[in-house]
Amino acid sequence: MAGIGKTELLRAWCAEQAVVTFYDLAHDSPARLRPPVRTKTSMSMVLDNVHRASTTQLDDIIGLLAQPAGPRLVLAGRWVPPRLRAGLPSAGTTEIDGSALALTEDETARLCARYGHLTPETLAEVYAVTGGWTAGAVVAATSIAGDPVGTEHHLRQLHAIGVTLHDYVVGDVLAHLSDDDRRAVADTSAVETVCAALFTALTGRPDAGRLLEDLARDRMFAVPVGERGWHRYRRLWRTALYLHAQHFEPERQRTLHRSAADWYLGHGRYREAVHHATAAGDHLLAAELSNRYRFHLIADGPLVTVTPAPSPTWPVPLTVVNRPFRQAGPVTAAAGVMSQPTAAARDAPDADVARHVVEHAAPVIAALDAGCPLEARAHLVTWLHAAQQLGPLPHARALRHSAATELQLGNLHLAAAHAGQTRRILAEHGVGGAHDDGWARIVLAAVHIQRDELTAAAEQLRGLAVDLWRTDAPLTAAEHLHHAMIEQQRGDARAALRTTRQLVETEPPSAELLYLHIQLLLANGDGADAGRCATTHAARLTDPLRRLVDANLLLAQRRAAEATETLQAFVQRTDGSVPHRIDALLLLADAAAQIGHLDHAAHLRRQAERVAAPAGIRRPFLLNAAYSLNAAYNGADPSRSARAERLPPATATLTDRELTILGLLDTLLTVSEIADALHLTDNTVKSHISGIYRKLKVHRRRDAVRLARALELL
């Protein structure tokens, strides 16, 4: 992938090696590649820009790979030439693609710091726009540092214009394609995700599958979405192509959007059909589809569309493209070959869909908003069945709400499973930028936070920022809320308070946001502001959260008896949020401790432990200062109690690879996903896991993680 920092990384690595030969095949390489003179030290050859290698050089590289005692080769390029890929040995080769080299949010922040001070909010936006692309982060940081007042303008420009990026994409990223292939790629940039059938519908190309496979082979330009042949183009690349075409060929772009609308309509994807009809300027069609399929649209749930809008600064100077596209003929609307929607989805009368929405979806959403997850679950039983009959998108929406319900009920494993299933369904059907996908990520982040897996939670939020591009206000608010929860859990209450204060001041706050904000105000010693916030926004708090807020305020004022009275009835309920019930039990314990009833306080904390133990909930205990610090509770903190157990001495023999896998066991990744992340086979990972279990003297993943935490191996 171009601009990801491969060459700099390799040169830095070479400087640390004893014996290494570096060749840049685009500039200073010899006509023939020979191994370096053998020494007692192992030899290495670094070959950069292999995509520019000549046929002779490729033959030499393949010959070096075939030598059993040959040098260690490090090959880098924007893509792997087909001739070289065919000659790569099946074993002993490790491939690192652009996604592995992409910067994390923290690395993006450190890079941007070289060009000037940027606020945390701006850094988060830079990461969301660039997706960790090094060159893009540099462009953003330098432009913003030069004009800090115009931060928002520069980010919009980086997101939208693609002036220099278009030449870069065509001349560098897509240089290995023919003019006709590049034209086809530019045409398909009109859609968020594309499969072979949709590609053919937009371009008339019967070889769409081959071209998509070529684009995705090294994840240089296209990234597979799901397992049914859907792909999406890297965000900035797609933006550059789309806006350039929209400026120079607006009529063609409108025709492409109309073709996309027809294709989506024919496949029962009404929301995308409305979106593309609007983008085509056919507002009559968009209005007709919106009216005809209004209840289908509600059942499917909102779709966050990220088709770039024209920059308000057009016209702007444009560099002449070195490799211009050739006209590939008129845009056609060929029939797709994707599986058709279910008969129920295609033929269901609007009245049936309306009944589905009113009878099933609305009660679930209302129950969740009121903090009554058991009631929501009762309605979900019928909603899930009905949604499955309507098609994959309504089913994904129902599953997303089921994940949120199980999260409130404290069933973290089931919440994660339903959220993951939501994401898989959407990916398998090529739904990009989906509202439900975003909320599924929020549920996964919340699960990790409750388990104190903060790195994994942050990864989910980073993926949300990049994939959905922060185009949906409630989702963005939820993302920032969970970032604040992570900061709070890491002990940075001031940073968390800055985040929640901005959210409360700029958006209508949710009940969960208000609860967290008031907690943070009290933690920072600002009881007066906490009381004012509770009074101002009292109508937005559900009854359970209102009781928790009142109890927090009363305890801050040393009014333990009143706090106990406020919570006593609440903890007897078993139909509410389990994390909130744990909070209430711990607050009652604090109240008992305030008035000197330490034995009763310890009993209440043990009761909270019993509620939290089945799901492995740890967050409430970590935030309860009295629970974790007061010696009167005899070290009851579940995050510390395992230290009293007998620890197996064999843990000292864990290898580096086993420690790496042990860290990944403390996530929601499956064995196959761990294998993919480490470039290993499933059987190799299973063998390492067996070794970990044997050395830790445990038999289950959960026990291994628990003991590893006690040993501070995680």
Side-chain angles (χ1 to χ4, degrees):
M1 181 177 177
I4 202 69
K6 301 181 299 297
T7 300
E8 291 299 318
L9 181 65
L10 288 173
R11 289 190 182 278
W13 180 77
C14 289
E16 299 173 354
Q17 306 305 306
V19 179
V20 64
T21 303
F22 184 97
Y23 289 124
D24 182 346
L25 301 186
H27 300 101
D28 57 5
S29 64
R32 300 300 301 269
L33 296 172
R34 303 298 185 194
V37 177
R38 179 178 297 281
T39 65
K40 293 182 180 179
T41 309
S42 61
M43 301 173 296
S44 297
M45 288 181 68
V46 175
L47 306 177
D48 195 15
N49 287 313
V50 293
H51 61 283
R52 300 282 294 275
S54 66
T55 302
T56 301
Q57 290 171 335
L58 289 176
D59 289 338
D60 288 343
I61 294 171
I62 294 171
L64 291 171
L65 289 169
Q67 295 180 15
R72 177 171 61 171
L73 291 182
V74 180
L75 311 177
R78 294 176 185 173
W79 62 85
V80 179
R83 182 183 180 85
L84 177 57
R85 180 170 289 282
L88 289 176
S90 57
T93 301
T94 301
E95 237 181 293
I96 303 175
D97 60 21
S99 60
L101 293 175
L103 301 177
T104 65
E105 192 166 2
D106 291 339
E107 290 168 340
T108 302
R110 291 200 295 273
L111 176 65
C112 292
R114 300 181 181 181
Y115 300 92
H117 175 72
L118 303 181
T119 66
E121 293 77 15
T122 301
L123 289 171
E125 288 298 319
V126 169
Y127 178 75
V129 172
T130 62
W133 177 44
T134 307
V138 171
V139 170
T142 52
S143 61
I144 293 170
D147 181 18
V149 177
T151 293
E152 192 172 328
H153 165 74
H154 287 295
L155 286 170
R156 271 201 314 271
Q157 288 293 91
L158 183 64
H159 174 189
I161 59 172
V163 175
T164 56
L165 285 182
H166 175 265
D167 295 348
Y168 182 67
V169 173
V170 173
D172 288 273
V173 181
L174 299 179
H176 66 300
L177 299 181
S178 68
D179 291 340
D180 288 344
D181 286 350
R182 289 198 296 272
R183 158 58 76 186
V185 172
D187 284 346
T188 52
S189 69
V191 294
E192 171 69 5
T193 56
V194 64
C195 63
L198 179 53
F199 198 114
T200 300
L202 294 174
T203 66
R205 293 285 296 263
D207 60 342
R210 187 272 308 169
L211 186 51
L212 276 175
E213 182 180 343
D214 184 29
L215 292 170
R217 180 174 293 117
D218 302 306
R219 291 178 176 257
M220 170 208 44
F221 186 84
V223 179
V225 178
E227 300 178 353
R228 296 193 179 184
W230 285 92
H231 296 78
R232 64 174 175 84
Y233 299 154
R234 293 191 178 272
R235 190 77 68 188
L236 286 179
W237 298 167
R238 176 193 170 218
T239 301
L241 294 175
Y242 178 82
L243 287 170
H244 184 272
Q246 191 175 37
H247 176 65
F248 287 103
E249 300 177 297
E251 286 300 323
R252 184 180 182 86
Q253 287 302 103
R254 282 193 282 273
T255 304
L256 287 165
H257 279 298
R258 180 57 193 264
S259 297
D262 291 342
W263 190 89
Y264 279 118
L265 180 61
H267 288 80
R269 299 276 290 275
Y270 307 118
R271 188 164 298 280
E272 289 97 332
V274 171
H275 167 60
H276 285 286
T278 304
D282 194 339
H283 300 294
L284 288 177
L285 175 61
E288 179 187 347
L289 294 177
S290 298
N291 183 59
R292 182 186 306 171
Y293 300 109
R294 59 190 180 279
F295 291 112
H296 287 85
L297 300 180
I298 296 172
D300 286 353
L303 183 76
V304 181
T305 54
V306 291
T307 295
S311 169
T313 59
W314 290 110
V316 292
L318 285 169
T319 307
V320 176
V321 181
N322 293 329
R323 298 172 177 81
F325 293 128
R326 289 203 305 268
Q327 186 72 15
V331 178
T332 62
V337 293
M338 191 184 84
S339 59
Q340 297 295 315
T342 64
R346 290 178 61 87
D347 304 329
D350 244 18
D352 291 345
V353 183
R355 190 180 306 112
H356 161 84
V357 173
V358 173
E359 292 183 359
H360 306 307
V364 171
I365 295 170
L368 288 175
D369 288 344
C372 302
L374 273 182
E375 181 183 340
R377 181 193 269 175
H379 290 290
L380 269 163
V381 173
T382 52
W383 185 15
L384 284 166
H385 177 73
Q388 206 163 7
Q389 303 305 308
L390 286 176
L393 302 190
H395 185 214
R397 188 174 189 222
L399 276 170
R400 185 262 286 185
H401 284 86
S402 179
T405 300
E406 298 303 331
L407 177 66
Q408 284 195 23
L409 288 169
N411 299 320
L412 302 189
H413 178 76
L414 199 54
H418 286 187
Q421 190 177 353
T422 298
R423 300 199 64 226
R424 285 192 294 274
I425 289 173
L426 294 171
E428 286 172 359
H429 291 82
V431 180
H435 182 85
D436 292 314
D437 183 51
W439 285 109
R441 279 190 181 271
I442 291 292
V443 169
L444 290 171
V447 167
H448 287 305
I449 289 171
Q450 290 295 335
R451 290 173 171 166
D452 195 34
E453 301 163 351
L454 301 186
T455 301
E459 284 295 324
Q460 289 293 340
L461 297 178
R462 277 195 287 268
L464 171 67
V466 173
D467 291 345
L468 273 82
W469 205 280
R470 289 188 167 90
T471 53
D472 183 76
L475 266 176
T476 301
E479 175 202 343
H480 291 317
L481 168 64
H482 285 77
H483 271 302
M485 294 171 71
I486 291 173
E487 290 165 341
Q488 179 196 29
Q489 210 153 312
R490 286 175 172 164
D492 195 349
R494 291 185 181 276
L497 181 57
R498 285 195 299 270
T499 301
T500 58
R501 178 173 283 124
Q502 184 177 9
L503 290 172
V504 169
E505 292 174 352
T506 57
E507 298 288 342
S510 66
E512 291 287 348
L513 170 59
L514 288 170
Y515 178 45
L516 178 61
H517 185 57
I518 291 168
Q519 282 183 313
L520 291 168
L521 286 170
L522 291 172
N524 282 277
D526 201 343
D529 265 2
R532 281 192 293 271
C533 181
T535 302
T536 302
H537 300 288
R540 292 189 170 274
L541 291 168
T542 61
D543 179 69
L545 288 179
R546 187 180 298 109
R547 289 178 180 273
L548 290 172
V549 165
D550 289 345
N552 273 284
L553 293 171
L554 290 167
L555 284 173
Q557 300 167 27
R558 312 294 295 181
R559 296 159 63 183
E562 294 172 69
T564 300
E565 185 179 350
T566 299
L567 292 173
Q568 198 64 54
F570 172 62
V571 294
Q572 303 304 322
R573 293 179 52 183
T574 58
D575 60 341
S577 165
V578 167
H580 291 163
R581 187 172 177 226
I582 297 169
D583 284 348
L585 286 167
L586 293 176
L587 288 172
L588 282 172
D590 290 346
Q594 273 192 18
I595 58 180
H597 297 165
L598 297 184
D599 288 342
H600 185 50
H603 167 72
L604 288 167
R605 287 187 169 83
R606 286 193 295 271
Q607 190 176 344
E609 284 181 50
R610 287 194 294 272
V611 174
I617 296 175
R618 303 179 68 232
R619 173 177 163 82
F621 304 100
L622 298 171
L623 298 182
N624 187 272
Y627 185 86
S628 59
L629 299 177
N630 195 321
Y633 306 140
N634 300 316
D637 185 348
S639 67
R640 305 174 190 272
S641 60
R643 299 186 186 283
E645 299 181 10
R646 183 183 302 275
L647 303 178
T651 56
T653 65
L654 286 175
T655 66
D656 289 343
R657 176 67 79 183
E658 286 172 341
L659 287 171
T660 300
I661 292 175
L662 180 59
L664 294 174
L665 291 178
D666 192 19
T667 67
L668 296 178
L669 295 177
T670 64
V671 169
S672 295
E673 290 168 340
I674 292 174
D676 289 342
L678 298 178
H679 305 287
L680 301 173
T681 66
D682 288 3
N683 287 335
T684 300
V685 171
K686 290 176 182 177
S687 177
H688 284 305
I689 292 174
S690 296
I692 292 169
Y693 289 174
R694 184 181 66 256
K695 293 176 182 179
L696 293 179
K697 300 188 184 303
V698 297
H699 303 285
R700 296 185 304 174
R701 178 172 180 164
R702 178 178 173 182
D703 293 338
V705 170
R706 178 182 59 81
L707 189 54
R709 286 185 176 279
L711 290 166
E712 296 185 348
L713 296 175
L714 295 178

